[in-house]
Amino acid sequence: MKDNILKRLENLEKAVSFDMVSGIGFDSHRFNPAKKDIILGGVKIPYHKGIDSHSDGDALYHALTDAIFGAAALNDIGDYFPDSDPSHKNLDSSIFLLAALRMAEKENIFLTSIDIIIILEKPSLSPFKQAIKENIARLCGLDLKNVGLKAKTNESLGFIGRGEGLAVIVSVLGKRMRRAAIS
Ligand code: MG
């Protein structure tokens, strides 16, 4: 009886144990003067230039999607959602993010926190940061306190400094739950 209980406790412990995993993602996009407004984290930011992209050009969703794939040791966003696929034209990039979350869950990966850096010279993201964080937290099923977001300029250096484009870096932490049958 005692052995049986100990065995069950051991199995239960295995079932709820996990490994920590991490992933990083990066994306950059060029501005297109023929377009208007920027979309970052699903939030539309009014601007006199838009983003040059096959999809909606949401570099934050693209970098976050790659970070999630990284945490799950999967391939990169271009392997699963190639630019050459006409069905991705002007696509809402939350589709990529939600697909990545589902694919990671199949690998028993569950996100615990996200940290984001957006690098662009203009416009200022201050009025939009809270909305972006809330959107990311909602889509990823995280508490707002587990989503970090910083926006910074590139001090006038390089393509970002010249206002030619923007870049996003994302880091994620998660748990890989260990599978074990509870008997
Ligand atoms: Mg991209």
Side-chain angles (χ1 to χ4, degrees), residues 26-29 51-53 55 57-63 77 83 93 96:
F26 170 83
D27 196 30
S28 60
H29 277 269
I51 294 288
D52 207 24
S53 175
S55 66
D58 195 323
L60 199 164
Y61 278 168
H62 298 172
I77 188 170
D83 277 359
S93 295
F96 305 142

Side-chain angles (χ1 to χ4, degrees), residues 82-102:
D83 277 359
S84 54
D85 187 335
S87 71
H88 297 153
K89 190 157 174 59
N90 299 322
L91 193 70
D92 177 343
S93 295
S94 65
I95 300 284
F96 305 142
L97 172 60
L98 293 171
L101 287 166
R102 273 200 306 274

